[in-house]
Amino acid sequence: MEFSARIIRLVDALPNTRAANRLAGQLLRCGTSPYGTHGEVEAAESRKDFVHKLKICLKELKETRRWLRLAAKSAMIPASKISAILNETEELIRIFFSSIRTTERNAK
């Protein structure tokens, strides 16, 4: 939940330009999606469903990373404000990747 809240605060800090508004919409969608999808992970109906939903979270986190990198590269947000959330995104990607790999390995 905290990650999604940080994404929301970051999006609200973007300038009011056409480019920033476009980026904000994309970042808001993919940056908050893992929170909702993780709720579905917790209610998965099978191991296959569990892994599938984890993979959706992972996909959304990777997309979030791309949009954050673009925001940093285009200097829409100071690098100092982006580095912490980019690091957190990387951490979450590693966590979800590891969870997927472990679950798939244990299924065999």
Side-chain angles (χ1 to χ4, degrees):
M1 182 183 315
E2 185 56 36
F3 177 78
S4 292
R6 289 180 69 192
I7 291 290
I8 290 168
R9 289 190 296 271
L10 184 129
V11 163
D12 283 345
L14 287 168
N16 188 17
T17 65
R18 271 187 7 200
N21 289 337
R22 169 81 167 119
L23 188 133
Q26 293 294 326
L27 192 52
L28 190 59
R29 184 195 56 74
C30 63
T32 58
S33 175
Y35 176 68
T37 305
H38 190 265
E40 293 181 29
V41 168
E42 292 173 337
E45 297 174 5
S46 66
R47 187 180 303 251
K48 185 177 178 181
D49 188 39
F50 179 82
V51 169
H52 174 71
K53 286 173 172 49
L54 281 176
K55 285 181 177 180
I56 292 171
C57 289
L58 180 61
K59 179 182 80 80
E60 295 294 336
L61 287 165
K62 287 181 175 183
E63 183 178 347
T64 300
R65 177 178 59 190
R66 294 185 70 87
W67 288 112
L68 288 170
R69 287 177 176 167
L70 181 59
K73 186 72 170 176
S74 62
M76 287 184 188
I77 301 170
S80 61
K81 288 189 177 186
I82 279 226
S83 64
I85 197 153
L86 253 175
N87 289 338
E88 187 175 357
T89 305
E90 293 293 343
E91 252 180 68
L92 288 168
I93 287 170
R94 285 191 297 275
I95 289 167
F96 277 85
F97 180 79
S98 179
S99 294
I100 292 164
R101 187 177 54 202
T102 299
T103 303
E104 288 178 334
R105 191 178 323 128
N106 290 342
K108 295 178 182 178

